[in-house]
Amino acid sequence: MNEIRLQKAMADAGVTSRRKSEELILAGHVKVNGKKVSQLGTKVSPHDEIMVDGIPVEREKLVYYLLYKPRSVITSVKDEKNRVTVMTFFPDVDERIYPVGRLDYDTSGAVLMTNDGELANQLMHPKFKMEKTYQAKVRGIVTPDDLKRLEAGVVIDRRKTAKAKASLISTDNVKKTSLVSLTIHEGRNHQVKKMFQVINKPVMKLKRESYGFLNLDGIQPGKWRALKLNEVNRLKQQVMRNAK
């Protein structure tokens, strides 16, 4: 029988992270098949009933999708202003998926969608250093010195950004614009836009080209594809490597 640790089953079901699940177990908030569990070594099968504070945990198969988010779409499950969210593109998906991290309303590109709570939390945590590559169209002609500054890190919100990878794709000397590729592993608020603002090259248009090794090849805006099993395993392996 395929058994896994209780805290992992809770994280997989989207209850919370594995660490928070462990805290709930130790605090006596969790029952398995009607019996309170307070030991972290407990294992459960797909047929066991898990309850947290009397509420049944709905266990569903884990799914993973890569979405090409268009501009003018909110990267959230719901929006209080009733704007279009990423959930609009998944009307026939029954699992309770959600976006991993955020992508600005006016930014297009790769967004990972899943119901795997544990992996989602790992991918979003800075210590796991998941690389994300952006293509930015900016005002002004980007110089080699500008690229060096971006790569070395610039100060935004009173804190220096981590080292990055930056390269110049093209320039338009007539319109005075540049196209730049920037790879970062942090996920600070509006980070890419703020980094370009520091070098006085404001962003005109921004697209996330890839999330880790996952890119948008063959995917049109507003469309998505399911990740293959080997891609999911590779994501998990990459997270573990980056954690060391």
Side-chain angles (χ1 to χ4, degrees):
M1 188 175 294
N2 185 22
E3 292 188 334
I4 60 175
R5 291 186 181 275
L6 176 57
Q7 57 266 39
K8 184 178 189 308
M10 292 169 61
D12 287 347
V15 175
T16 184
S17 67
R18 187 185 293 200
R19 179 175 293 181
K20 292 292 185 182
S21 295
E22 291 176 349
E23 293 176 1
L24 289 172
I25 294 168
L26 292 173
H29 292 277
V30 183
K31 289 183 178 180
V32 176
N33 298 328
K35 295 182 179 180
K36 184 179 291 186
V37 174
S38 57
Q39 295 181 342
L40 297 182
T42 302
K43 291 188 176 183
V44 293
S45 75
H47 306 293
D48 289 321
E49 181 186 53
I50 303 171
M51 299 185 75
V52 178
D53 290 330
I55 301 174
V57 173
E58 293 186 25
R59 301 171 68 185
E60 54 191 13
K61 70 173 183 177
L62 299 180
V63 293
Y64 309 83
Y65 303 109
L66 182 65
L67 169 70
Y68 186 159
K69 184 188 91 68
R71 300 176 73 187
S72 304
V73 172
I74 297 292
T75 310
S76 179
V77 174
K78 296 180 181 179
D79 180 60
E80 58 186 17
K81 297 180 181 178
N82 292 320
R83 291 172 293 183
V84 176
T85 74
V86 290
M87 301 307 297
T88 303
F89 306 107
F90 297 88
D92 299 321
V93 173
D94 295 326
E95 290 80 12
R96 296 172 297 172
I97 60 173
Y98 43 84
V100 178
R102 291 185 178 273
L103 200 58
D104 287 349
Y105 180 73
D106 58 352
T107 300
S108 64
V111 175
L112 189 62
M113 306 284 295
T114 185
N115 59 345
D116 187 336
E118 181 180 6
L119 181 60
N121 279 293
Q122 290 173 328
L123 291 172
M124 289 186 287
H125 199 290
K127 80 172 184 178
F128 292 103
K129 300 180 180 179
M130 182 56 61
E131 289 190 340
K132 296 167 283 286
T133 298
Y134 296 82
Q135 187 178 101
K137 181 180 181 181
V138 302
R139 288 194 180 92
I141 303 300
V142 172
T143 67
D145 284 342
D146 289 332
L147 296 176
K148 288 179 181 178
R149 290 182 65 190
L150 292 172
E151 291 189 325
V154 295
V155 177
I156 61 173
D157 301 325
R158 300 182 181 181
R159 187 158 56 94
K160 191 174 183 179
T161 59
K163 290 184 178 180
K165 301 173 186 175
S167 61
L168 182 63
I169 299 173
S170 64
T171 57
D172 187 326
N173 291 317
V174 176
K175 295 183 178 179
K176 301 298 182 184
T177 61
S178 303
L179 198 60
V180 180
S181 175
L182 180 66
T183 300
I184 62 174
H185 65 256
E186 297 175 292
R188 294 159 63 179
N189 194 34
H190 307 305
Q191 179 172 342
V192 174
K193 294 175 183 176
K194 290 178 179 178
M195 289 176 71
F196 279 104
Q197 193 68 48
V198 169
I199 64 169
N200 199 30
K201 301 294 188 298
V203 171
M204 302 170 64
K205 192 174 183 180
L206 188 61
K207 175 185 176 184
R208 184 193 281 168
E209 291 282 348
S210 62
Y211 192 102
F213 60 87
L214 298 169
N215 59 51
L216 296 170
D217 290 353
I219 309 177
Q220 296 298 315
K223 301 297 182 180
W224 52 267
R225 70 170 180 85
L227 267 60
K228 299 174 183 177
L229 179 59
N230 68 304
E231 291 176 320
V232 175
N233 290 335
R234 185 177 169 186
L235 265 182
K236 293 179 178 179
Q237 291 167 1
Q238 190 169 340
V239 163
M240 291 300 101
R241 282 198 304 270
N242 292 349
K244 295 179 180 178

